Amino acid sequence: MSKKLIKKKDLYFPSKEFKKNALINKKSIYKEAEKSQIKFWEKLAKELFWFKKWKKVFVHKPPYFQWFTGGKINITSNIFENNSKGFEKIKNKVALIWEPEPVNEQSRTFTYAELYAEVNRFANALKKMGVKKGDKVGIYLPMIPEAIVSMLACARIGAIHVVVFSAFSPTALRVRLQDTEAKVLITADGYNRRGKVVDLKKNADEGMKDTKVKKAIVIKRAENKVRMKKGRDFWWNDLKKDQSDFCKAEIMDAEDILFILYTSGSTGKPKGTVQACGGYTVQAKFTGKYIFDFQNSDIFWSTADVGWITGHTYSCYSPLLNAATYLIFEGAPGWPKPNRWAKIIEKYKVTIFYTAPTAIRMFAKFGLDILKGIRFNTLRLIGSVGEPIDESAWMWYFEKVGKQSCPVVDTWWQTETGGILITSLPGIGPFKPCFTGLPFPGTKFKILNDRGRECKTGERGNLVLLPPFTPGLLRGVYKNPKRYLKTYWSQYGKKIYFTSDAAYKDKNGLIRVVGRVDDVMKVAGHRLSTGEMEDSISKIDYINECAVIGMPDQIKGEVPAVFLVLKKNAVEKKRFTEDIYKEIQLKVRKEIGPIAGIKKVFVVEDLPKTRSGKIMRRILKRLFTGEPLGDLSTLANADSVQKIKEVIKLSD
Ligand code: WT7
């Protein structure tokens, strides 16, 4: 039987064999879910272990809503002792494989029983540090097994984890620790990145200043020399010795907070998205089961860092809830050689691979020579996430990695949605380059124009999610109900969730997500806000005002470019753009982190503004994309645009 996908016109479908073996392979699932979305999710929730069953499946008090109200659950009980596959059966199965960045270092593996014991020990250590149910715990760790262990340990005792991406700056860490008033921080001495040791503890020390953190647990990873503050900092290795390998799971209310994860929005301040214990568990488990088709023999690898939502859901909770074996990798996929990622797939016989378009474009850039002799034949399913994937990257991925035999699940979702919400299911299809696919069963999306009318096939509009939404949708913005209301529930009223994405549908109902309609940028799949960068750049004393926009980039999708207006005296000093560039680069790196690297700086006389003084970033952006500038009737200083065009031209 051919393993190749079946092509019908511009659509691809899974091969007969794939379809036959897939966990979900009947189209009728969509019909069933549509009949009653609430019943559909309830049926799924029943497959999980609950200490106590819910009283109501869905309660809606716009803009708030609840799922499984009154239910009692713990996500870790569902991973371990009460796993639906039976703990006895999975005990000796490998749960987690860790591949370190240095090629000669040994990998580490944990069976479900080993991971369980380690999570319990860590949970007990947290308790000893005084952490109680409802307390916030910061996690500032690289991709090492202890990152997974600490998240699960928090969940075990009902503490709320706040993971901060390890490459974020101390300032970014501090803001998150302050906002959540975290008591404890879990961090490491250092980690390997592109052959160098990053001194993470130093950043953590800096980030803990002016926060309420009283204790820090430090994991030894890089063996680099670090300063330990007496009474505050403790080595995990020392703490571990005295901890028992059992800790009772805390009984959590379905609507208790499981975690808070910060993400960029339209303003300078990041938003703490809040996830609930019950709904998130259901969403994480079943999106994984349906979309990645986790089977007993699979080896799943998601390249996402735990610092992002993809890492929370698919590099931690979802594979474990499904009793799968999965892999995490410490380093950069192109280190020490550009084919490292391919070597890892081969070494561990990875069967399901999930990564971002920016990585795929990078892989493709190096040409096929670097893949010579590497066997991808274990792969059976491949996925993409984080930004729109262009047709050439899709085709390269499909042909060169998937060998035309792996369904490509282009998965659309957001930090706010907790799990994947749009993608065609691998055992059903259809798959079409550039189109992320069909809404997940049990979810209802619409594409609306600015006046709220539904768009016709092919017509571009705003992507919205309708009630009952989904169990994993955020429950709020931490300590900021106004922002929650304004960002998600004001464009079309309190009953329609606004995604901030533009999209359209084709005649098959497949959705193509075009990009953001707000001031959020996707740089190499990472979410950054123009406001956040502008805030930090504006702190430089000689800058009068600035505007950051996403400029198209072949590999990263978008990269930040800055337009600056200098203060009078600075102009007189005739600073070199090169110096300004360096200084800005340093500033954003310090305040946000290296992912916010600025690509270009343009010093201009004036920024295009509306009569009321708002900067028209849309115009600046379109100067690069070549799109028509659009309606200029609100532009107050039309001559600025011509001058900016000249500055851009000069810099080429
Ligand atoms: C934004 C959310 C949750 C996954 C990681 C990103 C864009 C995400 C796709 C896709 C086109 C996509 C959207 C979305 N996006 N996946 N498959 N096709 N665009 O999470 O950082 O919260 O970003 O990423 O613009 O709104 P995030």
Side-chain angles (χ1 to χ4, degrees):
M1 224 190 285
S2 170
K3 284 192 169 174
K4 291 223 163 108
L5 267 73
I6 299 162
K7 195 168 180 204
K8 289 184 194 156
K9 290 198 183 132
D10 55 349
L11 302 178
Y12 293 87
F13 292 87
S15 66
K16 275 200 178 125
E17 188 186 318
F18 191 100
K19 194 178 174 83
K20 192 179 87 204
N21 297 325
L23 298 176
I24 306 297
N25 53 13
K26 294 196 185 72
K27 257 193 192 160
S28 56
I29 189 94
Y30 288 100
K31 279 247 157 63
E32 188 204 315
E34 217 179 290
K35 251 192 264 153
S36 167
Q37 293 171 257
I38 294 176
K39 284 211 178 102
F40 171 78
W41 288 108
E42 181 176 34
K43 197 172 151 197
L44 296 181
K46 280 184 184 159
E47 289 182 38
L48 288 166
F49 168 79
W50 297 78
F51 297 106
K52 196 173 149 221
K53 216 189 136 188
W54 51 89
K55 290 206 177 81
K56 279 219 147 128
V57 190
F58 179 71
V59 176
H60 198 183
K61 291 181 192 143
Y64 294 96
F65 60 92
Q66 299 185 332
W67 279 90
F68 314 112
T69 314
K72 306 278 181 197
I73 195 167
N74 188 301
I75 194 164
T76 67
S77 313
N78 278 287
I79 289 171
F80 300 114
E81 69 270 36
N82 298 109
N83 190 297
S84 56
K85 296 255 161 75
F87 195 43
E88 279 309 312
K89 284 208 190 111
I90 62 167
K91 254 182 166 169
N92 298 320
K93 180 177 175 172
V94 172
L96 177 65
I97 305 167
W98 175 67
E99 167 81 353
E101 188 186 83
V103 182
N104 297 326
E105 196 179 325
Q106 275 285 316
S107 58
R108 290 166 70 191
T109 60
F110 295 77
T111 62
Y112 272 86
E114 286 163 348
L115 189 63
Y116 183 46
E118 194 72 358
V119 167
N120 280 303
R121 282 191 280 267
F122 212 111
N124 285 323
L126 287 172
K127 278 189 166 173
K128 204 176 149 198
M129 294 277 154
V131 179
K132 295 195 180 64
K133 180 176 177 173
D135 285 345
K136 298 11 162 244
V137 174
I139 298 179
Y140 189 48
L141 285 176
M143 285 301 273
I144 53 176
E146 288 77 4
I148 309 297
V149 171
S150 13
M151 289 163 79
L152 298 175
C154 287
R156 186 81 183 163
I157 63 170
I160 297 165
H161 59 68
V162 183
V163 181
V164 181
F165 181 43
S166 57
F168 270 155
S169 70
T171 314
L173 171 64
R174 186 179 312 119
V175 169
R176 287 153 178 80
L177 294 174
Q178 285 171 338
D179 201 44
T180 53
E181 299 177 65
K183 273 185 168 175
V184 169
L185 179 71
I186 306 167
T187 187
D189 51 357
Y191 62 97
N192 298 290
R193 192 72 183 174
R194 296 182 187 282
K196 288 201 190 100
V197 170
V198 178
D199 190 344
L200 189 67
K201 179 64 171 42
K202 195 173 148 218
N203 291 350
D205 285 339
E206 190 60 35
M208 279 188 275
K209 280 185 194 155
D210 302 322
T211 70
K212 297 213 163 119
V213 174
K214 295 275 170 319
K215 300 264 191 287
I217 300 179
V218 187
I219 318 277
K220 212 169 231 161
R221 158 65 192 126
E223 306 277 345
N224 51 323
K225 238 187 139 157
V226 299
R227 202 177 59 90
M228 296 290 278
K229 194 171 164 186
K230 224 178 153 199
R232 186 194 67 180
D233 301 347
F234 300 86
W235 288 110
W236 164 232
N237 281 346
D238 297 336
L239 290 175
K240 188 174 173 170
K241 287 179 210 134
D242 311 321
Q243 307 311 322
S244 128
D245 59 11
F246 182 72
C247 170
K248 216 171 145 242
E250 192 69 41
I251 297 176
M252 304 299 288
D253 198 275
E255 284 295 316
D256 279 340
I257 302 179
L258 175 63
F259 64 79
I260 301 170
L261 179 62
Y262 282 78
T263 187
S264 300
S266 289
T267 72
K269 210 178 151 228
K271 302 183 288 235
T273 62
V274 171
Q275 278 292 343
C277 289
Y280 180 82
T281 305
V282 176
Q283 184 95 34
K285 162 119 185 182
F286 293 99
T287 51
K289 178 175 171 182
Y290 280 48
I291 298 159
F292 295 118
D293 190 47
F294 290 127
Q295 306 216 10
N296 200 26
S297 55
D298 275 319
I299 311 277
F300 173 66
W301 180 23
S302 154
T303 61
D305 191 285
V306 286
W308 310 98
I309 190 69
T310 314
H312 280 60
T313 309
Y314 302 105
S315 304
C316 180
Y317 290 112
S318 183
L320 294 172
L321 285 164
N322 285 289
T325 298
Y326 81 105
L327 178 96
I328 61 168
F329 173 47
E330 179 186 38
W335 181 268
K337 296 225 175 85
N339 63 2
R340 180 67 186 275
W341 60 278
K343 294 235 165 183
I344 294 175
I345 293 177
E346 185 177 53
K347 178 174 173 188
Y348 294 101
K349 303 190 167 51
V350 170
T351 60
I352 309 168
F353 181 56
Y354 189 37
T355 195
T358 184
I360 298 166
R361 290 189 294 261
M362 200 249 318
F363 302 159
K365 189 182 93 176
F366 288 102
L368 290 175
D369 274 0
I370 62 158
L371 299 182
K372 256 197 195 133
I374 295 182
R375 290 163 68 91
F376 283 142
N377 58 341
T378 53
L379 286 175
R380 64 179 197 91
L381 176 59
I382 54 181
S384 166
V385 62
E387 51 175 317
I389 178 164
D390 48 285
E391 182 153 6
S392 72
W394 195 99
M395 286 312 294
W396 190 87
Y397 197 34
F398 175 63
E399 285 176 356
K400 309 298 184 232
V401 180
K403 311 283 182 198
Q404 298 179 17
S405 304
C406 302
V408 180
V409 283
D410 175 5
T411 62
W412 177 93
W413 57 302
Q414 310 178 297
T415 304
E416 291 87 344
T417 69
I420 299 166
L421 289 190
I422 307 177
T423 189
S424 296
L425 300 178
I428 301 173
F431 317 102
K432 179 176 171 182
C434 300
F435 284 77
T436 149
L438 298 172
F440 192 78
T443 62
K444 195 164 183 199
F445 283 92
K446 268 193 181 165
I447 295 167
L448 304 179
N449 72 7
D450 287 338
R451 277 170 286 123
R453 183 185 54 76
E454 196 168 353
C455 294
K456 293 188 211 90
T457 302
E459 188 191 343
R460 193 197 273 211
N462 296 319
L463 182 69
V464 299
L465 179 63
L466 302 184
F469 317 113
T470 127
L473 190 65
L474 83 165
R475 298 299 196 268
V477 173
Y478 191 62
K479 290 208 288 210
N480 204 338
K482 268 199 199 132
R483 204 161 170 204
Y484 173 69
L485 183 69
K486 182 161 181 267
T487 314
Y488 309 109
W489 310 99
S490 63
Q491 289 73 7
Y492 297 108
K494 286 185 195 168
K495 290 184 187 162
I496 295 182
Y497 172 82
F498 179 63
T499 64
S500 297
D501 273 332
Y504 64 87
K505 269 187 200 168
D506 76 354
K507 58 179 189 301
N508 310 296
L510 299 177
I511 295 175
R512 175 168 187 175
V513 175
V514 184
R516 304 280 306 193
V517 294
D518 58 1
D519 291 323
V520 163
M521 228 187 294
K522 300 294 311 231
V523 179
H526 296 142
R527 183 162 159 179
L528 294 172
S529 97
T530 54
E532 208 172 349
M533 280 185 266
E534 288 167 6
D535 278 4
S536 51
I537 296 168
S538 305
K539 287 182 191 156
I540 300 176
D541 58 0
Y542 55 81
I543 288 172
N544 185 18
E545 57 177 359
C546 68
V548 173
I549 58 129
M551 174 176 138
D553 181 88
Q554 276 207 331
I555 301 290
K556 295 186 172 174
E558 278 185 311
V559 286
V562 191
F563 290 85
L564 293 176
V565 178
L566 302 179
K567 282 187 183 154
K568 270 262 154 49
N569 55 350
V571 180
E572 276 152 24
K573 272 197 225 150
K574 288 208 179 67
R575 282 172 168 273
F576 290 110
T577 316
E578 191 55 27
D579 294 341
I580 298 175
Y581 175 77
K582 277 190 193 143
E583 207 160 332
I584 288 179
Q585 195 69 288
L586 217 69
K587 190 78 184 167
V588 288
R589 274 180 159 261
K590 185 162 178 278
E591 300 241 335
I592 302 169
I595 53 162
I598 303 283
K599 184 74 178 232
K600 282 221 158 196
V601 169
F602 303 100
V603 178
V604 297
E605 268 175 44
D606 206 1
L607 295 168
K609 283 184 185 163
T610 62
R611 271 163 237 285
S612 60
K614 266 182 130 179
I615 299 171
M616 295 179 80
R617 291 188 190 75
R618 164 183 52 113
I619 295 182
L620 294 172
K621 190 164 178 172
R622 290 186 181 176
L623 291 176
F624 293 103
T625 58
E627 278 172 278
L629 297 184
D631 178 14
L632 296 181
S633 59
T634 54
L635 179 65
N637 51 348
D639 56 329
S640 68
V641 180
Q642 195 46 43
K643 286 187 184 160
I644 291 171
K645 272 191 191 160
E646 279 156 27
V647 173
I648 295 175
K649 221 181 184 173
L650 273 176
S651 81
D652 272 346

